[in-house]
Amino acid sequence: MTVHHSEERKERELDRISGAAAPKTVDVSLKQIVPLLIDAEKSNRTWLADFADDTVRIDSDLYDVLLAYQQYRQSEAA
């Protein structure tokens, strides 16, 4: 039975790698991940670059606030 389980897991992993399986996702709060991402960026962790092109789903209200903040920062720098 363990061999069968192992084979199933291997097949699922191959499906995930090939894009045939739906990507695994997890819901986390910004409070949980932002400090870790900031620390990883400040520490120049190379693994962070591995995820640089990944997409992240956020609430549209947060997106609007981030865009406004980006414009504010750009105008402040000018």
Side-chain angles (χ1 to χ4, degrees):
M1 191 137 190
T2 305
V3 174
H4 188 267
H5 238 42
S6 176
E7 289 176 16
E8 285 180 7
R9 187 170 11 160
K10 193 181 292 185
E11 283 185 37
R12 285 195 310 268
E13 185 64 15
L14 289 172
D15 285 346
R16 187 190 64 76
I17 291 169
S18 70
K24 292 181 182 179
T25 61
V26 62
D27 293 334
V28 296
S29 69
L30 285 175
K31 183 179 178 179
Q32 183 179 359
I33 63 170
V34 167
L36 297 170
L37 292 171
I38 290 170
D39 182 70
E41 176 65 23
K42 284 182 180 178
S43 302
N44 294 317
R45 300 292 178 208
T46 56
W47 59 261
L48 192 55
D50 295 342
F51 300 96
D53 293 327
D54 286 13
T55 59
V56 178
R57 184 179 302 254
I58 61 172
D59 184 85
S60 62
D61 289 341
L62 175 58
Y63 183 67
D64 291 341
V65 169
L66 291 172
L67 287 178
Y69 183 67
Q70 180 183 39
Q71 289 176 346
Y72 167 77
R73 295 290 290 167
Q74 288 172 347
S75 66
E76 193 176 62

